[in-house]
Amino acid sequence: MTEIKGKIKSFIFNNESFGIAVFTLMDNDTRSIVIKGEITSMRLNVFYCLNGETVIDRKTNKTVFEVKSLKQIKITSKELVIKYLCSPLFPTVGKKLASNIYEHFGDDTFNKILSNPEEIKNVKDIKDSQVLIILETLKENFEENKVLEIFEEHNLKLEFYTRVEKFCKSKEEIKNTFENNFFEFAENNFLIPFKEVDRVALAFGLEENSSERISWWAKHLANELLMKTGNTYLELSIIKKELQKVFFNINYEIFDEKLIYAKKNKLLIFENKKVYTKESYNDEVVISKSLLEIENKIKITKKTNLEDYLKEVESFVETSLNIKNFKYNQEQKLALENFLNNNVSIVTGGPGTGKTTVIIGLVKLYELVYKKNDFAIVAPTGRAASRINEVSNYEATTIHRLLKYTGNNTFEYNDLNKLDRGMLIIDESSMIDNHLFASIFLGLENLNKIVLVGDIDQLPSVSYGNAFEDIIKSNCFSLTKLITNNRQIITGERNSIIDLANCIKNNNIELFDFDNTNNIDFIFENDANYALEKIKDTYLNNRPIDFEEEILNLQIVAPMYKNNLGIDRINNFIQSIVNVNKKNIYKRGEVEYKANDKIMYTENDSYLKVFNGDVGYIQEIILENKKFKIAKTYFNKELKELNSSQFGKVKLNYACSIHKTQGSEYDKVILVLDNTNQYSSFLINKKMIYTAITRAKKHLFIIGDKKLFINSCKKEMKERLTTLKDRIVQLID
């Protein structure tokens, strides 16, 4: 670690958490260097001592000093006092007056002036205007900043100080914010990570074993557990066991008393021997109340006979889908009737049962019966929404786009600013977690009809909750089950993919004829290296000539990231074969990225309007002096230029997880199962396999161990602990 002293001459870039500046060295004020890091709290022309190291900046390929810690230098010596008073901070104060000031006050000049401001008026040859300038500047820049000193002493995250400073009008208010309820301020303003927030709270005097600290830790640990398990509540004993790993010097029984703070301040909600976070509890309450409020609204449908409109609806669908003499089957007609007769209706069915066809008909029926177009069609992913866009004149969008996602799990349309919609259809509802479901209801008003569409046999959401299944199992709303497979009817051929899906769903995989299939290839192999060669052969033999077809219609899926047949290894392996481009390669960790790579964006980005799970490709990577500058990428057929930070959210996508494929369909899918991964037999389950195989529309390849595949098809997914179903039933009763 290197130490340098000097002052900031000017900022090149400065935001809440990061800055780049020109720094003039104290021992040679004609020499400047560029510094970067958490320096946003530093002031111009104030002397600091910085600790850090000299590095090569990736963007500019130039030497910069990366700041690790900083501390304001106390100005005490005669030389520094005079030098400082002659700086641009003190206009009209020349060397002669600066010398007079030092001679009058002596060492520690600035602190003496601040402790007795009236005394400066007695300095020889000083004017009133100069007195005012000196006092104001010293008060702003040199008055003791105890808060910043604590940050410097404990090497705390300076971004937190900068954020708090922007909210406060005085140093006293800043100090109070850090000393009182800082955890609450941090949560409301999305300061992360939690452990850094905790370090700040301790540094500003919060007792290590206080009820406040233990309660906030309890909430943090509960959030982590809910995200990990998918549950919406926990048992108190589990939270206490997790707390004991952090507060190991506290007796287990004492946590009951300490957590009264969490209950009183509603950090955790305690109900019927269950413990919820405030968010997981409120989400269930919002979903249950909202659904029943919509269902209990006066039906806006006058006595309407579906047959009066069916012919026109079917004619519209026939034109949209280009299916000659199109007719809805009885199940699909029932879905349309249930829509007319109920404010809340649910449609569930497997692949090929015509869910998208029903959605198009529902919207057309709404237009015909109600003479309105105040509807919205949404899905959790762009790929799922685009399926509807491709086959109809109706615009479907992602939930995040409709509600205008603003980051940090928040939306522009919310409980204080609602969007007016009369009817809402949500496709791929099984994918939607409780918090996103609740956000939909909070962000919309005047909703008279809602239709939930999905496949109950697919995997539930990645985050906590199991809303779609819970709503169905409440038996409180109209439900239409689509069973007839239209793909088989239209082609007149059996469909082995559908047959396999039904066997898995109905728990009779042993009845499936593995030797007699028409669109599934089973390549059962125990040797991982041989399996990898088979993955290569299968990918190359089925690779479309058209590049965009490859991006959208051929996908390798696997349940695990690590090990011999994990997603990471498969991605690198396939890339090395299909993308031999040697120009402008950008390496991040062990992964290389280059033009024409298939990629996936892994976070929601409201600025780029690219969302978690969106698939695209790299058009060009632009390097400057062999360092990353920008990547030109295409997502959803739109050019997106990604900077280094944004590109950090990109992953190769020749292979991806089963969860990431939800909401998407591909002509051909290669499912890879790895029996060499010790966690495979514990984690891979029936819903996971069902979801994976039903991504394939035309052909499915399964490569891996047969025993692992069959056992996984029989393994039930662990049931999530939720109470949404009970809340709905209780409200009805």
Side-chain angles (χ1 to χ4, degrees), residues 394-565:
Y394 297 125
E395 181 184 355
T397 186
T398 64
I399 298 166
H400 287 80
R401 282 179 183 266
L402 179 74
L403 299 180
K404 295 189 176 179
Y405 182 73
T406 54
N408 293 312
N409 233 0
T410 59
F411 299 89
E412 185 176 321
Y413 291 117
N414 51 52
D415 56 331
L416 301 176
N417 177 40
K418 291 180 179 286
L419 176 66
D420 195 315
R421 287 292 182 272
M423 193 269 282
L424 177 70
I425 296 177
I426 307 176
D427 195 13
E428 296 290 352
S429 294
S430 66
M431 291 178 61
I432 305 172
D433 62 71
N434 278 24
H435 192 68
L436 188 54
F437 244 119
S439 297
I440 293 170
F441 291 118
L442 291 173
L444 299 181
E445 64 181 352
N446 297 323
L447 197 56
N448 295 309
K449 277 189 175 291
I450 183 168
V451 185
L452 308 180
V453 183
D455 185 348
I456 194 173
D457 295 301
Q458 279 192 36
L459 283 167
S461 60
V462 175
S463 185
Y464 65 79
N466 196 13
F468 186 59
E469 189 169 335
D470 286 346
I471 294 165
I472 290 173
K473 287 185 175 179
S474 73
N475 295 318
C476 293
F477 305 103
S478 164
L479 173 65
T480 308
K481 294 181 179 180
L482 304 180
I483 299 170
T484 304
N485 190 275
N486 297 288
R487 289 178 190 169
Q488 289 175 319
I489 291 171
I490 292 169
T491 62
E493 299 177 1
R494 58 186 286 264
N495 186 323
S496 296
I497 297 171
I498 302 301
D499 293 343
L500 179 60
N502 287 333
C503 282
I504 295 170
K505 181 168 63 174
N506 298 324
N507 296 314
N508 51 20
I509 187 65
E510 64 279 354
L511 299 180
F512 185 77
D513 187 353
F514 286 89
D515 298 319
N516 183 23
T517 63
N518 65 344
N519 58 357
I520 305 179
D521 286 1
F522 294 99
I523 305 168
F524 289 130
E525 178 55 54
N526 293 330
D527 183 87
N529 290 326
Y530 182 77
L532 204 59
E533 285 299 310
K534 285 297 180 182
I535 294 168
K536 178 191 76 173
D537 293 343
T538 305
Y539 193 92
L540 292 177
N541 291 336
N542 291 276
R543 187 183 180 198
I545 296 173
D546 182 77
F547 177 60
E548 289 201 14
E549 279 292 304
E550 179 183 354
I551 299 295
L552 298 175
N553 281 317
L554 175 61
Q555 185 63 52
I556 303 171
V557 295
M560 319 297 281
Y561 277 92
K562 303 300 179 186
N563 242 42
N564 297 326
L565 296 177

Side-chain angles (χ1 to χ4, degrees), residues 678-689:
Q678 60 179 324
Y679 299 107
S680 290
S681 58
F682 297 104
L683 297 178
I684 307 174
N685 58 58
K686 168 182 163 181
K687 284 202 171 191
M688 200 175 282
I689 298 294

Side-chain angles (χ1 to χ4, degrees), residues 254-391:
I254 293 177
F255 287 124
D256 290 324
E257 178 188 338
K258 296 288 186 179
L259 289 174
I260 292 173
Y261 179 97
K263 183 177 182 180
K264 182 180 176 182
N265 291 277
K266 295 185 177 179
L267 303 182
L268 298 174
I269 307 296
F270 297 79
E271 185 179 88
N272 299 327
K273 297 184 179 180
K274 299 177 179 68
V275 184
Y276 305 78
T277 63
K278 179 175 64 176
E279 292 78 12
S280 70
Y281 181 85
N282 287 342
D283 290 340
E284 287 195 342
V285 170
V286 167
I287 295 167
S288 56
K289 285 186 175 180
S290 299
L291 283 171
L292 287 166
E293 282 173 8
I294 295 168
E295 180 62 13
N296 292 331
K297 283 185 178 182
I298 297 172
K299 303 288 188 295
I300 59 173
T301 311
K302 42 189 183 283
K303 282 290 180 182
T304 303
N305 188 348
L306 174 63
E307 294 300 323
D308 295 340
Y309 299 95
L310 186 58
K311 188 175 180 180
E312 190 171 349
V313 171
E314 288 177 333
S315 176
F316 176 79
V317 175
E318 177 179 320
T319 303
S320 297
L321 300 181
N322 195 25
I323 301 174
K324 192 174 181 180
N325 299 321
F326 172 82
K327 299 293 179 185
Y328 279 117
N329 64 33
Q330 289 304 312
E331 298 159 4
Q332 294 168 324
K333 286 181 186 177
L334 180 60
L336 298 178
E337 286 180 357
N338 284 338
F339 169 74
L340 285 176
N341 297 325
N342 299 275
N343 291 342
V344 177
S345 57
I346 305 164
V347 180
T348 182
T353 55
K355 296 188 293 295
T356 302
T357 310
V358 168
I359 289 172
I360 297 169
L362 290 174
V363 179
K364 187 62 180 177
L365 189 60
Y366 182 78
E367 289 179 322
L368 292 172
V369 175
Y370 303 107
K371 313 298 182 188
K372 293 180 178 180
N373 61 0
D374 59 340
F375 60 85
I377 311 168
V378 296
T381 67
R383 189 79 188 271
S386 69
R387 285 207 314 269
I388 299 167
N389 294 331
E390 288 164 5
V391 298

Side-chain angles (χ1 to χ4, degrees), residues 514-725:
F514 286 89
D515 298 319
N516 183 23
T517 63
N518 65 344
N519 58 357
I520 305 179
D521 286 1
F522 294 99
I523 305 168
F524 289 130
E525 178 55 54
N526 293 330
D527 183 87
N529 290 326
Y530 182 77
L532 204 59
E533 285 299 310
K534 285 297 180 182
I535 294 168
K536 178 191 76 173
D537 293 343
T538 305
Y539 193 92
L540 292 177
N541 291 336
N542 291 276
R543 187 183 180 198
I545 296 173
D546 182 77
F547 177 60
E548 289 201 14
E549 279 292 304
E550 179 183 354
I551 299 295
L552 298 175
N553 281 317
L554 175 61
Q555 185 63 52
I556 303 171
V557 295
M560 319 297 281
Y561 277 92
K562 303 300 179 186
N563 242 42
N564 297 326
L565 296 177
I567 294 165
D568 293 339
R569 186 181 181 193
I570 295 172
N571 267 323
N572 293 336
F573 180 64
I574 296 297
Q575 181 203 44
S576 69
I577 296 163
V578 303
N579 191 356
V580 293
N581 185 0
K582 299 295 182 183
K583 185 181 177 183
N584 286 4
I585 295 174
Y586 171 63
K587 190 168 184 178
R588 189 179 71 215
E590 298 300 313
V591 182
E592 291 183 343
Y593 295 89
K594 41 196 172 181
N596 296 331
D597 267 335
K598 183 179 179 180
I599 54 173
M600 176 181 283
Y601 210 75
T602 59
E603 291 187 19
N604 294 317
D605 192 312
S606 56
Y607 175 76
L608 281 174
K609 291 186 171 54
V610 178
F611 300 101
N612 188 358
D614 281 356
V615 174
Y617 65 92
I618 299 171
Q619 183 193 60
E620 181 184 10
I621 293 178
I622 299 173
L623 304 177
E624 194 172 87
N625 297 321
K626 297 184 179 180
K627 301 296 179 181
F628 183 94
K629 183 179 181 183
I630 201 166
K632 293 183 178 182
T633 65
Y634 271 87
F635 287 97
N636 303 316
K637 298 182 180 179
E638 294 181 2
L639 176 65
K640 305 289 182 182
E641 294 192 353
L642 311 186
N643 60 31
S644 178
S645 174
Q646 293 162 337
F647 197 75
K649 300 165 187 173
V650 160
K651 283 190 174 182
L652 292 179
N653 194 54
Y654 300 99
C656 70
S657 71
I658 296 170
H659 272 103
K660 290 292 187 184
T661 63
Q662 279 189 275
S664 299
E665 287 183 326
Y666 310 88
D667 285 349
K668 298 180 180 181
V669 168
I670 305 167
L671 170 61
V672 179
L673 300 175
D674 185 4
N675 67 320
T676 68
N677 190 315
Q678 60 179 324
Y679 299 107
S680 290
S681 58
F682 297 104
L683 297 178
I684 307 174
N685 58 58
K686 168 182 163 181
K687 284 202 171 191
M688 200 175 282
I689 298 294
Y690 175 88
T691 302
I693 68 169
T694 55
R695 300 309 90 209
K697 289 193 293 184
K698 295 182 179 179
H699 209 103
L700 172 67
F701 303 87
I702 299 177
I703 302 174
D705 180 62
K706 184 174 183 177
K707 183 179 178 182
L708 175 60
F709 175 75
I710 291 175
N711 288 342
S712 299
C713 291
K714 295 178 179 179
K715 184 180 175 65
E716 294 290 343
M717 182 177 179
K718 187 177 180 181
E719 188 174 349
R720 292 186 170 186
L721 302 177
T722 67
T723 47
L724 176 59
K725 180 188 78 171

